[in-house]
């Protein structure tokens, strides 16, 4: 995947970054750490500039999150219940968890959206409860864009730092992405196999 990301950024430039960052939220696993890290390396080598890289990455991230938000906003909590009841084990949650999350989100949603942008395993998923809770669209877009801009800045600067110091920086980022994906997969399956509903019975 790292070679595909690198080739798309080199061929598509800033538009390639925008597309990848949008897809990162809709079609995982395309990690933003890899995308923005490679863009930072290109910046360190003089092939790209900071401002358009940040703009492309932030617009792409916001657009991808907004797609998930709109889907969840259209669905709503009520239509989600049969799905959660049926597939609770694989989601590692039950309906009461959804209800508690919805109540919390209605009170603190804007800050949850902002803070979750800095958490790799949750920054895309958070768009779903925001949509289910019917958060105001403009509020969602503002806090998503703000969090994404800060996170992308960190990734760009980290990639730029690597690009200035190591000739094989792309390889470093590629391996880091693989390690992260493996850890995330192990964590998820551990959650699935150890999860039990509060009733003590698992749905078929």
């Amino acid at each position: 995947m790292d070679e595909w990301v690198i080739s798309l950024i080199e061929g598509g430039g800033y538009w390639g970054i925008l597309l990848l960052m949008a897809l990162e939220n809709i079609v995982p696993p395309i990690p933003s750490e890899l995308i923005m890290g490679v863009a930072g390396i290109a910046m360190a080598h003089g092939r790209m500039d900071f401002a358009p890289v940040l703009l492309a990455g932030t617009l792409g991230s916001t657009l991808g999150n907004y797609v998930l938000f709109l889907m969840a906003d259209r669905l709503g909590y009520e239509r989600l219940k049969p799905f959660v009841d049926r597939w609770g084990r694989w989601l590692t949650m039950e309906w009461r968890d959804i209800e508690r999350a919805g109540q919390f989100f209605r009170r603190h949603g804007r800050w949850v959206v902002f803070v979750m942008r800095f958490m790799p395993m949750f920054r895309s998923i958070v768009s779903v409860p925001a949509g289910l809770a019917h958060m105001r669209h403009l509020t969602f877009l503002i806090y998503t864009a703000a969090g994404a801009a800060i996170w992308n800045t960190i990734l760009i600067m980290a990639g730029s730092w690597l690009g200035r110091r190591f000739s094989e920086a792309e390889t470093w980022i590629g391996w880091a992405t693989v390690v992260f994906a493996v850890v995330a997969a192990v964590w998820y399956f551990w959650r699935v196999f150890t999860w039990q509903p509060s009733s003590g019975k698992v749905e078929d």
Side-chain angles (χ1 to χ4, degrees):
M1 177 178 291
D2 55 331
E3 293 181 0
W4 177 70
V5 169
I6 293 170
S7 64
L8 188 54
I9 291 176
E10 290 179 347
Y14 302 117
W15 288 106
I17 293 173
L18 192 153
L19 175 63
L20 285 168
M21 289 299 286
L23 291 176
E24 182 249 346
N25 295 278
I26 304 170
V27 189
I30 307 176
S32 61
E33 292 84 357
L34 175 61
I35 301 165
M36 301 311 292
V38 170
I41 293 170
M43 189 180 76
H45 294 166
R47 298 194 299 269
M48 287 185 167
D49 297 315
F50 174 77
V53 166
L54 178 61
L55 179 62
T58 301
L59 284 176
S61 182
T62 303
L63 177 62
N65 275 280
Y66 193 49
V67 170
L68 293 178
F69 173 87
L70 289 175
M71 293 170 59
D73 182 60
R74 189 174 184 83
L75 178 65
Y77 276 109
E78 297 76 12
R79 297 180 183 177
L80 189 65
K81 189 175 188 304
F83 181 82
V84 174
D85 290 342
R86 179 70 177 83
W87 302 102
R89 164 169 286 284
W90 296 101
L91 297 171
T92 66
M93 65 177 64
E94 51 190 331
W95 184 244
R96 68 182 63 190
D97 299 324
I98 299 292
E99 290 179 321
R100 283 196 295 262
Q103 293 169 0
F104 179 84
F105 214 94
R106 282 187 283 272
R107 291 194 300 268
H108 311 288
R110 63 186 63 185
W111 296 111
V112 174
V113 168
F114 177 78
V115 172
M116 288 296 179
R117 288 305 309 167
F118 307 98
M119 299 184 180
M121 300 186 70
F122 302 101
R123 59 172 170 262
S124 297
I125 295 175
V126 73
S127 302
V128 175
L132 292 174
H134 303 301
M135 187 176 182
R136 289 172 60 106
H137 290 226
L138 182 59
T139 300
F140 174 81
L141 289 171
I142 290 173
Y143 280 83
T144 296
I150 296 173
W151 179 244
N152 289 339
T153 298
I154 294 171
L155 295 180
I156 293 168
M157 299 312 295
S160 178
W161 182 86
L162 282 174
R164 290 193 304 269
R165 285 162 177 77
F166 302 100
S167 59
E168 300 296 326
E170 289 93 344
T171 303
W172 286 52
I173 292 178
W175 276 110
T177 302
V178 170
V179 171
F180 172 78
V182 171
V183 170
V186 170
W187 177 83
Y188 169 72
F189 284 109
W190 178 82
R191 285 271 299 170
V192 168
F193 290 116
T194 60
W195 180 80
Q196 288 289 334
S198 58
S199 63
K201 297 180 180 179
V202 178
E203 297 286 345
D204 295 329

